[in-house]
Amino acid sequence: MTSPLLSVENLRVEYHGASGAVTAIPDLSFAVQAGESYGIVGESGCGKSTLLMALMQHLGRTGRIAGGRILFDGADLTAATRRGIAMVYQDPNAALNPTMTIGSQLAEVPMLVPGVGKREALDRARQILADVQLPNPERVMARYPHQMSGGQKQRVVIAMALLANPKLLLLDEPTTGLDATVEAAILDLISELRARHNTALIYITHNLGVVAQVCDRVGVMYLGDLVEEAPVRALFATPKHPYTRRLMACVPHLGSTKHSTSFLPIPGQPPSLARRPPGCPFGPRCDGFAPGRCDHPVPDETTEADHRVRCIRWAEPGATLAASAAPLAPSLPDDEVVLKAADMSTVYTFAGSGFRARKVRLLANAGLSFEAHKGGVLAIVGESGSGKSSFARVLSGLYPSSDGTLAFGGVDVGRRDVTQRTAAELAAIQMVFQNPDATLNPSHSTEFPLRRVLKKFGLAKGERAISAEVDRLFDLVRLPRGLRRQRPSRLSGGQKQRVAIARAFAAQPQILVADEPVSALDVSVQAAIVNLLLQIQADKRTTILFISHDLALVHHLADHVVVMYLGKVMEQGPVGRLFAPPFHPYTEALLSAIPVADPDAVQSRIRLKGDIPSPIDVPPGCRFASRCPRRIGDICDTIPPPLRDTGEGHEILCHIPVMTLSELQTKKNEFVFN
Amino acid sequence: MRDRLPVIVLIARKLLSVILTLLLASFLVFAVSEFSPGNVARKTLGPYAPQESVDLLYQKLGLKDPLVERYGRWLGILLGLRADPLQDPALKLNFVDPRGARYFGNFGYSSLYKAPVNDVIWSRLGATAMLAGIAFAIIVPLSLTLGILAGMREGGLLDRTISVFGIVATSVPEFASGVFLVALFVVLLGWLPGTSPLTTGGGWPVWSQLVLPVSVLVLYDSGYLVRMVRGAMVDVMNRPFIRTAMLKGLSFPQVVLRHGLRNAMIAPFTVILLQINFLISGVVVTELVFAYPGFGRMILDASLFGDISLIEAATLIALCVAVTTQLLGDAGYALLNPQIRLR
Amino acid sequence: MTAIDHLPAEPVTRAPGLLRRLPTSGVAMCGLALILVWVLAAILAPVLPLDPPNKSFYAALAHSAPSAAHWLGVDKSGRDILARIVFGARQVLTVAPTAAIAAYLIGCPLGLLAGYYGGWVDAAISRLCDVILSFPIIILYVILISTIGPSVLNIVLAVVIAASPGIARIVRGLTLEQRHLDYVAAAQLRRESAVFIMLVELLPNCRGPLITDFCLRIGYTIITIGIMGFLGLGLPPPDPDWGTMVKEGTVMISVHPYVSLFPAIAIVTLVLGFNLLADGLRELALKE
């Protein structure tokens, strides 16, 4: 075996703050071979970014490498040899200088090499922009970052990294925050460039699906420790560390739904760095914790040739729980239609800046028609800009619809916003928001919004009744009552989202609108929140409108799915029908872009060109025509497509006949979910 | 990007907004200073004029009319649309303006200096412009340099030293620093003159008379600006794209000059030009401290005396200066910040 | 649901509130100390062994320089400078905070209205603020005070007119930042009144920047009151006013510089106190 390209030996990283030293990484060793793709997974705060910054020799003024060494290309890593390592950053919006053109930012990199002039540097920049498949590199060079979309900016950042001709490329969550279809295209690009330049990768992510797709070997990090390391297939087939196993039990699996399994969340939350447990870092949250053994320092153990695990009980049978749990007996939808949208449209009108500015009209929802049944989960999926959040705002009363009806219990509520709805209507439709940090007012205790809801809707009278009801709601969402008087800043993201759910259920709603309620949370927390929602639903038979961009999650929990693109329903149907051919071409592309957490999954490879167009000037024909990989001709651009019914309430909005779609799609692949 | 309007329209819209601001502001000044119309006639004629003359003037000026109407007339005189009634010989006021009674820019007659406002105001404005110009020319590069040096390494020795200077400097108002500097350089050391009449009669050359007034202005205003620039620089240096630039392999000076500087200038730029307002305020005090024959002291004298025409004229000019610099500020801001320019 | 599905949640540890962390900031404590010295002096002025501030010691005029009898000397009317400075502190430490609070009482609601409602309400309020802010402030003060005459009430009034647009602008910006956050939407969904949302949901979250601004503004108001005194538009005599004292001293600065110097130092130290406190608070808020 040749010597590795990068070798990290017993690395120790500390931060020195006002309150003393904190160890972020106690003792970490791993190696990356030339040309290899090495993934590091873990939840937020586990030390992934610290590791990257240590590799880049950029720990800031408070951080320092307190022990161990990093060998790169056979020699100690120094500021000079670091030139062979380049980095792709998490947030491309922030990573680029807003006041410099793309061209001059790129040209800086080649010009660092002595003897390379501006002209040569610009030529190379132009060339590399073509390599990362940005159309019209000449125009891109003259642009400023704010004139480009997120996906395009990430391509620029990748181009900037490649200009240094790195032997090792560090990728720090490079697709987090991008839409699934854009993410898939970026992942393709990275794989392609890696094959072409034989660059080694260290890929940092919290997304097990991404790791499964792009990495050869994977390390799992927890609290600064690499708790398990194995080739990607071995890791996914036989995860050995309890943390790895629990992580995998938190993400949706192929072919499983809420009726067959439930997620198995990890209890508690990671301790802060300052309170690292004495032995196994995962010990306090591990159900296989053995007193007297796990609270002493744990050595690395090698289970197979290249499978390391830092758990002394890995070989003991039954030491840890299974990787998934029995289903929760979820609620089933009945025949009663609670909510019925009929040809509902929403138009936003923006006044331009200054007076006499042109008015801009934006059709956020165009003729939505669907039904939600009592006790069911109706999922609305689509990428950003698809109008799914606009619909949530209309339903909850934050914005009035413009056309058509949105009937709740037979009465149209769509045209009336909060000020015009009756108290009963307001209470009946409650909302859980996306961002846990914005959902609670930082100035008030967690119980404050619950009390206000009870008071405003007259659901509990008198201090004692209100207090008892708040206690009951905290129990409902499984939060300790002791948190009632805490400020939100002392709660974790998952706890805040639980308070938000309690606030929604305080009004005893019939419909719960959940707008991406888990997308900002770590997977283990996400699993717990999804379980919680399903449990409460089974108990109260609330109808849930679950808005999400995550098709895998939707497959797990939905009963009926609506796929939206640019404000229009492209396809809808029962979950079983929607995830089987025939698909609308857009659904097909979305499915093929899911990063499935299984390295052996066979997925069709359909990639969409470009970005979602602006919803202001929509094409007269099919809204998806400009990006459709199955476009059949001018008819797609000019004539609105017909709605095709395939039975059982499954509808597809497409010019291509259902039979043809079925043939095209089944011939090509067996789809992953069925 | 939503509504891209031609640049001309944008400029026209901006100008319109500026004119509106000027109209509103001048109306405000007019309303305050001519709030009690009885006073206007009395103040114009001085305390010893007989009551009959005051009553006559009251009639002649139409002071019983509503405020808005009188403001309209004042505007008409200013724009040269109507003749200034004060110059009417029938009033026997002996107010004569060689430019005539009706011309564009007619600010009326100063009762304090017994001369047309236009004869009084411009030479003083010139003297003040010199003082403020020199001060501004020192303040801007000085505070930019100090602010950027302090902000590029937050918490360093240089940063702490400069920040302390900034805080102390903003805590010393002009009249106090004037007293300190005079006590030190005039009374104790005798190096510089304590007054600045801008004549060489006292035996001091004119440049030496400018040293202390300029220093007073520079000290107070640069303290504030240094802190602004430092704050913006610290902010920029903590942004992720600076990390990108450093990890690219650029040297620290390269990162500061190419990536830090321009971004750090964006926020303080509008402040720098708003600084003109502070400068004008400072100028009033400084001119009083050093008996400098300028615009600021004139405003003070006019206000204390009740010379309404002069107050209104001076305020309008000061407003024009302030608003023009704000316009320049907006333009410079757009030039520095491509996100604004290309929208 | 398994038994271990929920371990007792450990609250995330966060730094305590801004004011509780104040002692950790050296800068802020320096500022606070300076302010406290003056506040104590002002409160204790009547019981301190000081000469009456308005009494003329004609005998002292011959030797008006600082002496054992008059530590900081006497002014041209033979009044004890130390006593006048300490009694002047009473004056300035009541007028400046009162004026700043009054400006906040006007500025905050204006900013909240503009930020929360947007549209023409915002346009009207913002335009009004722009107009006032485009005046060189001192000219505004001079015109106002010379028209309505110098008195405590009028100085407060002038400060309110000149300062509230700046406060409104800050509050408006802070309101706009929060306006579209989910907790505001949640409040709307339970049909809270606009007044409740502005005062209970939005305003408390503005407090961080406003506390800093408040300290700065008191300092600036002290300077303003000083300037007004210096320009001869200060609080009416004979009660001691720092700015007026500096002004009176400049006449004989070449002979008795200390007559101006000591009140000037008094102003500088007090303003420095507020500026240091504001700076310390700002740093603390950023560290969060």
Side-chain angles (χ1 to χ4, degrees), chain A residues 371-625:
Chain A
E371 298 175 346
H373 291 259
K374 186 173 171 63
V377 177
L378 174 79
I380 302 181
V381 294
E383 295 171 282
S384 52
S386 61
K388 49 193 195 314
S389 291
S390 299
F391 175 73
R393 287 170 58 81
V394 170
L395 178 55
S396 62
L398 289 170
Y399 196 85
S401 70
S402 323
D403 222 336
T405 57
L406 181 63
F408 165 68
V411 185
D412 182 21
V413 293
R415 304 291 188 86
R416 290 177 290 137
D417 69 5
V418 175
T419 52
Q420 294 158 324
R421 289 192 189 175
T422 66
E425 283 168 341
L426 276 182
I429 304 174
Q430 287 291 309
M431 187 146 169
V432 175
F433 299 92
Q434 173 173 8
N435 182 353
D437 294 324
T439 198
L440 300 177
N441 191 327
S443 293
H444 297 302
S445 64
T446 55
E447 65 171 355
F448 173 81
L450 276 62
R451 286 174 167 273
R452 291 299 301 180
V453 169
L454 294 171
K455 204 167 178 177
K456 288 301 267 192
F457 292 125
L459 296 164
K461 297 241 167 14
E463 166 57 33
R464 185 175 282 180
I466 289 179
S467 186
E469 184 65 16
V470 170
D471 274 342
R472 212 183 51 72
L473 287 162
F474 268 65
D475 295 346
L476 177 75
V477 296
R478 281 138 190 121
L479 275 178
R481 292 178 181 180
L483 292 180
R484 275 179 56 168
R485 291 178 199 282
Q486 299 286 0
R487 292 281 169 86
S489 63
R490 295 180 71 85
L491 267 61
S492 69
Q495 289 173 332
K496 286 181 208 170
Q497 215 55 327
R498 283 175 196 264
V499 176
I501 292 169
R503 175 177 65 195
F505 278 104
Q508 299 167 7
Q510 296 176 51
I511 297 180
L512 180 75
V513 191
D515 186 0
E516 304 254 15
V518 295
S519 64
L521 303 173
D522 273 320
V523 279
S524 63
V525 186
Q526 180 173 330
I529 297 287
V530 167
N531 281 359
L532 177 69
L533 281 174
L534 290 176
Q535 277 162 355
I536 299 178
Q537 183 183 35
D539 191 31
K540 302 195 177 277
R541 299 211 34 86
T542 316
T543 306
I544 295 182
L545 251 85
F546 191 86
I547 292 173
S548 178
H549 67 281
D550 184 342
L551 267 90
L553 187 59
V554 163
H555 179 257
H556 176 84
L557 62 75
D559 296 303
H560 189 91
V561 182
V562 173
V563 180
M564 278 174 70
Y565 182 81
L566 268 187
K568 209 153 176 73
V569 177
M570 293 286 134
E571 178 175 4
Q572 65 169 306
V575 67
R577 292 295 301 269
L578 197 109
F579 284 85
F583 308 112
H584 188 280
Y586 177 58
T587 315
E588 191 185 7
L590 282 180
L591 288 171
S592 103
I594 300 177
V596 182
D598 179 354
D600 294 314
V602 182
Q603 264 174 301
S604 64
R605 197 172 165 285
I606 292 166
R607 295 293 179 255
L608 300 183
K609 290 168 298 201
D611 301 294
I612 297 189
S614 149
I616 291 167
D617 304 302
V618 285
C622 175
R623 293 191 160 214
F624 186 54

Side-chain angles (χ1 to χ4, degrees), chain B residues 130-131 134-135 138 177-178 181-182 185-186 191-196 198 204-219 286 290 292:
Chain B
M130 177 168 72
L131 180 63
I134 297 173
I138 297 173
S177 61
L181 291 182
V182 166
F185 290 103
V186 181
W191 290 352
L192 290 165
T195 54
S196 312
L198 296 190
W204 292 95
V206 171
W207 69 262
S208 69
Q209 300 175 20
L210 284 171
V211 174
L212 286 181
V214 167
S215 308
V216 163
L217 289 174
V218 167
L219 270 179
T286 310
F290 295 99
Y292 188 94

Side-chain angles (χ1 to χ4, degrees), chain C residues 7-285:
Chain C
L7 290 184
E10 157 200 9
V12 180
T13 40
R14 287 284 155 82
L18 198 61
L19 293 178
R20 230 171 294 162
R21 281 182 297 136
L22 198 61
T24 64
S25 162
V27 174
M29 291 315 280
C30 280
L32 205 59
L34 278 173
I35 297 169
L36 281 180
V37 166
W38 281 114
V39 169
L40 277 180
I43 292 173
L44 299 178
V47 294
L48 289 176
L50 292 166
D51 297 317
N54 292 334
K55 184 181 173 191
S56 297
F57 297 88
Y58 294 109
L61 275 175
H63 310 281
S64 62
S67 62
H70 303 282
W71 289 0
L72 302 183
V74 294
D75 68 5
K76 67 171 195 286
S77 312
R79 295 174 296 193
D80 183 69
I81 293 181
L82 179 62
R84 288 182 71 73
I85 287 179
V86 172
F87 277 90
R90 288 171 78 86
Q91 183 82 267
V92 78
L93 278 173
T94 39
V95 177
T98 309
I101 290 170
Y104 265 82
L105 289 179
I106 304 291
C108 282
L110 285 178
L112 283 170
L113 286 170
Y116 183 70
Y117 282 107
W120 68 266
V121 179
D122 183 22
I125 291 175
S126 294
R127 166 68 61 187
L128 186 71
C129 292
D130 281 350
V131 167
I132 294 176
L133 286 174
S134 65
F135 275 97
I137 291 181
I138 198 87
I139 296 186
L140 198 64
Y141 283 132
V142 168
I143 294 174
L144 277 171
I145 297 293
S146 62
T147 309
I148 57 184
S151 72
V152 171
L153 187 67
N154 286 352
I155 283 181
V156 170
L157 193 70
V159 170
V160 168
I161 291 175
S164 48
I167 296 165
R169 218 181 232 193
I170 297 174
V171 174
R172 172 181 176 270
L174 293 169
T175 307
L176 280 177
E177 277 174 22
Q178 305 175 59
R179 169 86 188 78
H180 294 288
L181 291 183
D182 295 336
Y183 58 80
V184 179
Q188 287 169 333
L189 287 182
R190 58 176 190 256
R191 199 143 55 193
E192 299 286 7
S193 66
V195 173
F196 180 92
I197 292 179
M198 283 189 266
L199 294 183
V200 182
E201 298 280 348
L202 296 173
L203 192 57
N205 293 318
C206 301
R207 64 179 182 275
L210 289 187
I211 290 173
T212 307
D213 179 77
F214 186 67
C215 292
L216 283 177
R217 217 164 272 283
I218 291 183
Y220 191 70
T221 307
I222 294 170
I223 289 186
T224 304
I225 295 171
I227 290 180
M228 297 319 294
F230 186 78
L231 295 182
L233 297 167
L235 304 167
D239 282 336
D241 171 65
W242 290 353
T244 313
M245 289 169 72
V246 176
K247 166 78 180 163
E248 285 166 1
T250 51
V251 182
M252 43 183 178
I253 192 161
S254 50
V255 199
H256 300 306
Y258 51 85
V259 180
S260 291
L261 220 47
F262 291 126
I265 291 172
I267 291 179
V268 170
T269 48
L270 186 52
V271 174
L272 188 63
F274 281 106
N275 282 351
L276 287 174
L277 182 61
D279 203 61
L281 284 171
R282 195 179 47 79
E283 290 278 313
L284 281 181

Side-chain angles (χ1 to χ4, degrees), chain B residues 153-166:
Chain B
R153 284 192 207 272
E154 191 189 359
L157 185 64
L158 200 59
D159 179 23
R160 271 177 282 158
T161 316
I162 294 174
S163 295
V164 167
F165 161 78

Side-chain angles (χ1 to χ4, degrees), chain B residues 86-87 93-101 108-109 114-117 119:
Chain B
L86 283 178
Q87 291 190 31
L93 283 171
N94 205 15
F95 285 1
V96 201
D97 190 339
R99 301 170 190 83
Y109 204 86
K114 307 282 178 240
V117 169
D119 288 353

